[in-house]
Amino acid sequence: MSGRAQLMWDEAVTRYDFGPGHPMDPIRLTLTRKLVDALGLDREARLVAGKPAGESTLRLVHRDDYIEAVKAASANPEAADGTYGLGTLDDPAFAGMHEVSALIAGQSVGAAEAVWRGEALHAVNFAGGLHHAMPGSASGFCVYNDAALAIARLLELGAERVAYIDVDVHHGDGVQAAFWEDPRVLTISLHEHPRTLFPQTGWPEETGAPSAEGTAVNLALPAGTGDAGWLRAFHAVVPELLADFRPQVLVTQHGADTHFEDPLAHLAVSLDAQRAVQMACHELAHEYAEGRWVALGGGGYAVVEVVPRSWAHLVGIAVGRPVEPETVVPESWRKEVFARTRQLGPMRMTDGRWPVTWSAWEEGYDPADRLDQAILATRRAVFPLRGMLA
């Protein structure tokens, strides 16, 4: 197996553009790639453009009628009227929407294929992670669900156990829906509580269909949860489940919208905690999945201050050259930021909170603490279904 990581990139992904004023500004992808280059991380990876997903691949998750609707809206955006979730405020139709959405999906599928076939140990597609798209509709800025398609392709190639970890601030509802009845896929989502955030799903009681009980895991975090609580929650649930499930490959989604500066959500996580979870996912892939790791982007709407740094850290970890938090952001990149956005870019690759610390679940819990109540609710809902102690 090649030890070299694969980085999926094609400039055309920046055409995934819902228009002026939409939170999903493609500048976040451009600036991430520019920062990866400025830090020299691109020289450590095999750069692959990837092919767009064809219709047979898209049909692994999406319905025929929905694919046809996306193509029609892509060809004639003005005719999209909200049917199939296309032409809404969240998901406005735009020219070329099918083509660029299929490209992003194809990059995640290509990343999964490379890891499964041993062409790369790790593969990253930070343009991916569009986890809200449903089999028959667009949702939450997502047209095709590249994460679900990557997992479906792994199953098609013969994988028997795939674990999916989603640390986006929003529930990974589309991926959960795609594999609700499939015991071969363990989906774990840590997200802000559905009482306070879209898509209002991801309750701990959502544990999978009767044919796959205990393979959907949801940890709904109280609004305002910060670094110590977020990391405590992750480590209180994820490692034990992976040890039990024994995945052959790990697929992770790293939406950067858990950050305290993100304008669309209410967690209070720092860049340094995001880096800590990225490192933990890398370690878990090696501990439980022989290193097979497919890492995706996701949400994140602080498009200058947060997203590029967070995903540059992800790339650095995947390619075997983690960026030290105190690293000074290259001046060339900051000039690029100002030229493109008229904003001042951040100075360092840290929020000043490294090293982040948390208390382990094994040391005991406080039944009156809201975070510990959330962790306990998830453990009690899922662990007994898997024959594990809550």
Side-chain angles (χ1 to χ4, degrees):
M1 179 179 289
S2 169
R4 197 170 191 197
Q6 190 158 297
L7 177 60
M8 312 301 295
W9 178 256
D10 185 323
E11 193 70 32
V13 298
T14 60
R15 297 175 193 156
Y16 193 83
D17 187 353
F18 291 112
H22 194 282
M24 187 76 104
D25 189 336
I27 192 67
R28 66 199 199 117
L29 302 179
T30 300
L31 292 179
T32 299
R33 177 59 205 272
K34 296 286 187 183
L35 183 55
V36 165
D37 290 359
L39 291 166
L41 301 175
D42 58 317
R43 296 193 294 271
E44 308 294 331
R46 182 190 299 114
L47 293 171
V48 177
K51 298 183 298 183
E55 288 189 32
S56 62
T57 297
L58 294 173
R59 283 196 293 268
L60 293 174
V61 167
H62 294 290
R63 297 198 321 244
D64 282 343
D65 58 326
Y66 175 59
I67 297 168
E68 290 306 313
V70 174
K71 290 164 68 176
S74 183
N76 186 11
E78 293 76 17
D81 60 1
T83 308
Y84 294 99
L86 302 167
T88 63
L89 286 176
D90 272 2
D91 298 280
F94 60 91
M97 180 172 63
H98 165 74
E99 288 77 11
V100 68
S101 299
L103 174 61
I104 292 171
Q107 289 187 319
S108 291
V109 169
E113 289 173 341
V115 167
W116 184 253
R117 291 170 175 162
E119 296 162 8
L121 193 57
H122 310 323
V124 181
N125 178 23
F126 58 75
L130 304 179
H131 60 166
H132 293 307
M134 292 290 175
S137 67
S139 177
F141 315 160
C142 305
V143 178
Y144 292 138
N145 196 318
D146 64 285
L149 287 163
I151 295 168
R153 180 62 175 142
L154 287 166
L155 298 176
E156 189 177 52
L157 290 172
E160 296 173 348
R161 293 180 308 283
V162 180
Y164 172 74
I165 301 172
D166 189 319
V167 296
D168 193 289
V169 78
H170 302 92
H171 177 224
D173 57 339
V175 183
Q176 175 180 287
F179 302 105
W180 184 251
E181 299 178 349
D182 195 333
R184 297 174 297 173
V185 181
L186 174 69
T187 64
I188 307 173
S189 179
L190 280 75
H191 47 266
E192 184 180 328
H193 202 286
R195 283 197 193 96
T196 53
L197 195 66
F198 173 90
Q200 282 78 52
T201 58
W203 299 79
E205 296 78 17
E206 298 170 32
T207 57
S211 60
E213 280 191 331
T215 59
V217 183
N218 289 289
L219 185 37
L221 302 170
T225 297
D227 289 0
W230 195 60
L231 289 164
R232 174 174 170 81
F234 180 94
H235 288 282
V237 170
V238 176
E240 284 182 72
L241 287 168
L242 293 188
D244 173 70
F245 187 69
R246 296 179 299 111
Q248 294 163 299
V249 60
L250 187 63
V251 179
T252 58
Q253 196 268 21
H254 297 272
D257 42 10
T258 51
H259 196 273
F260 55 77
E261 289 196 18
D262 196 90
L264 299 189
H266 318 98
L267 295 190
V269 172
S270 73
L271 183 77
D272 299 293
Q274 291 177 345
R275 180 181 185 272
V277 161
Q278 293 165 1
M279 294 184 71
C281 287
H282 175 240
E283 291 163 5
L284 290 166
H286 280 280
E287 187 167 358
Y288 297 115
E290 298 183 351
R292 298 187 193 95
W293 182 31
V294 179
L296 310 173
Y301 309 100
V303 297
V304 170
E305 186 68 25
V306 177
V307 175
R309 291 188 299 160
S310 185
W311 292 347
H313 275 303
L314 179 65
V315 172
I317 292 163
V319 302
R321 212 189 91 194
V323 179
E324 292 301 319
E326 286 301 322
T327 299
V328 174
V329 173
E331 180 64 22
S332 61
W333 184 78
R334 298 183 75 245
K335 288 179 178 178
E336 183 90 32
V337 167
F338 189 77
R340 290 176 178 268
T341 69
R342 289 298 183 260
Q343 295 183 48
L344 296 176
M347 298 292 294
R348 291 184 183 272
M349 294 292 290
T350 179
D351 285 332
R353 298 187 183 181
W354 190 268
V356 289
T357 59
W358 72 94
S359 58
W361 183 255
E362 294 75 19
E363 296 171 5
Y365 63 89
D366 178 358
D369 181 80
R370 290 174 65 219
L371 176 77
D372 283 2
Q373 290 171 1
I375 294 169
L376 198 56
T378 297
R379 290 177 64 99
R380 285 176 172 166
V382 175
F383 281 34
L385 296 175
R386 304 197 60 81
M388 301 164 62
L389 294 175

